[in-house]
Amino acid sequence: MLSLHQLRCFLTVYEQGSLTAAAEELGYAQPSISEQIRTLEKSIGLQLFRRVGRGVVPTTVADTLRPHAEATIAAAEEALRAVQQVKAFETGTIRFGMFGSARLYVSATLVTDVLERYPGVRVEIIGQNSTEVLDDLRRGRLEAALIAAPPTNEGIDVLPVARDEMVYVSLDPERTATPVTARRLAEARLVLADTTYRATDSMRLALRRMLHEAGLNPQTRIEVEDVETAIEVVGRGLADTVVHAGAAKQLVPRLAPGATWTSLRPRQYETFAIVHRIGATLSPAAQLMIELAVARIRQVAEPIR
């Protein structure tokens, strides 16, 4: 029976052309290397080396065995690396980027999905806004993320996977009785989230584009950071807001009971996409998070195939 240790000793002797040099290379005594070669020759019933002076010369049998020995060692090392990767995966930290609105109705179920498969891992869902998540991705702090598709994608691979409608939310049922036009939107008392990212937030950019195309300018009465606060303000009757339909379904019943929502006219959608750096080799952890995140977001938003 051949052993990996015998094959390593054989390859080292073959490369070094000397039992003594091979022993020094491997950190063993020379008699130990000689014994491994003798045992290997006994196992195959053929001579591998001929002594010439102070060195050895490989036989034709050794020439034939060499590529197979190299392939066997490489396969064993790859198997060990694979097992170690799985061990590190199952006990390490999985980080995944996700922007705020999607995080509200996907992240908890996503974490559940991960822990059901790998109960020993530590999970981090990173990000508040797509702009922030993209920055972390470009800086190498994240491997992959689910974001609202950016207007530009230099150096980033973008895979659209779903879309969600933007809806107008109000405590006054008359304001949601019909779809909200650009003019009504421009005249409304609005509270909008993501104030830190107001210049780059994809939803705000879409609303600005909708108003500018109608020759109108957007304005807000109240600026807040998170969608939850925006919905709470709506629930107090202080302003109306525009959010993703998925966020409205999750938050309005809890934070603004009695509020309703309607579409914009024309309807406005935001595309959700999986992103990672172009040419990146994604780890098993990143691939897992992408698979699970896509499945979850497609359950709550309209899939893009």
Side-chain angles (χ1 to χ4, degrees):
M1 180 69 70
L2 306 184
S3 72
L4 292 176
H5 181 53
Q6 289 170 355
L7 293 178
R8 286 194 180 94
C9 291
F10 160 73
L11 288 173
T12 307
V13 172
Y14 190 104
E15 292 165 0
Q16 298 292 329
S18 165
L19 292 168
T20 302
E24 292 177 354
E25 175 73 17
L26 294 172
Y28 295 114
Q30 190 269 342
S32 175
I33 300 298
S34 298
E35 178 61 27
Q36 293 301 317
I37 298 301
R38 282 196 299 271
T39 302
L40 182 57
E41 289 176 328
K42 185 176 179 181
S43 295
I44 62 177
L46 295 165
Q47 185 179 2
L48 293 170
F49 298 100
R50 295 191 308 273
R51 289 187 176 274
V52 177
R54 294 184 178 181
V56 294
V57 175
T59 64
T60 303
V61 174
D63 291 334
T64 302
L65 177 61
R66 180 185 182 183
H68 298 286
E70 290 175 335
T72 300
I73 295 296
E77 291 175 347
E78 179 59 30
L80 180 60
R81 280 194 297 271
V83 171
Q84 289 173 337
Q85 266 195 336
V86 170
K87 180 180 179 182
F89 182 19
E90 293 185 348
T91 59
T93 296
I94 298 179
R95 305 177 79 242
F96 189 71
M98 189 175 294
F99 71 103
S101 295
R103 176 177 48 78
L104 293 173
Y105 45 95
V106 174
S107 62
T109 53
L110 181 58
V111 170
T112 301
D113 291 340
V114 174
L115 294 182
E116 282 179 350
R117 294 197 189 190
Y118 300 99
V121 302
R122 180 173 179 270
V123 183
E124 294 183 6
I125 304 296
I126 309 296
Q128 292 291 333
N129 183 275
S130 295
T131 301
E132 172 193 11
V133 174
L134 268 178
D135 184 58
D136 281 345
L137 193 71
R138 290 192 173 100
R139 293 173 182 267
R141 297 169 184 161
L142 293 169
E143 279 192 86
L146 173 67
I147 68 167
T152 58
N153 58 346
E154 293 181 6
I156 300 296
D157 196 337
V158 179
L159 175 65
V161 294
R163 70 174 190 171
D164 203 3
E165 187 177 2
M166 302 178 196
V167 295
Y168 185 93
V169 185
S170 177
L171 197 62
D172 185 345
E174 291 186 4
R175 298 177 195 161
T176 57
T178 58
V180 175
T181 63
R183 180 161 297 282
R184 284 179 57 197
L185 186 64
E187 295 171 351
R189 294 180 303 170
L190 288 179
V191 52
L192 291 181
D194 291 303
T195 185
T196 294
Y197 306 96
R198 69 178 76 181
T200 56
D201 177 67
S202 54
M203 177 179 286
R204 287 179 181 247
L205 290 174
L207 294 178
R208 287 191 202 112
R209 187 163 53 248
M210 174 185 172
L211 292 173
H212 289 162
E213 288 174 355
L216 302 168
N217 291 316
Q219 58 182 350
T220 55
R221 183 175 186 181
I222 304 169
E223 292 280 344
V224 296
E225 287 290 1
D226 57 273
V227 178
E228 294 95 330
T229 301
I231 297 293
E232 280 193 279
V233 170
V234 171
R236 294 173 183 268
L238 302 175
D240 299 340
T241 193
V242 177
V243 297
H244 294 122
K249 292 172 185 176
Q250 290 291 319
L251 298 177
V252 167
R254 177 165 56 90
L255 301 177
T260 54
W261 61 86
T262 188
S263 299
L264 300 174
R265 181 181 292 163
R267 288 178 181 267
Q268 300 292 317
Y269 293 89
E270 197 161 37
T271 299
F272 301 153
I274 293 294
V275 292
H276 58 78
R277 292 185 303 281
I278 290 176
T281 300
L282 299 177
S283 69
Q287 294 176 31
L288 172 69
M289 295 301 284
I290 289 172
E291 172 194 340
L292 297 178
V294 169
R296 281 298 179 182
I297 197 66
R298 284 177 170 169
Q299 289 178 358
V300 295
E302 180 184 341
I304 296 175
R305 302 295 181 182

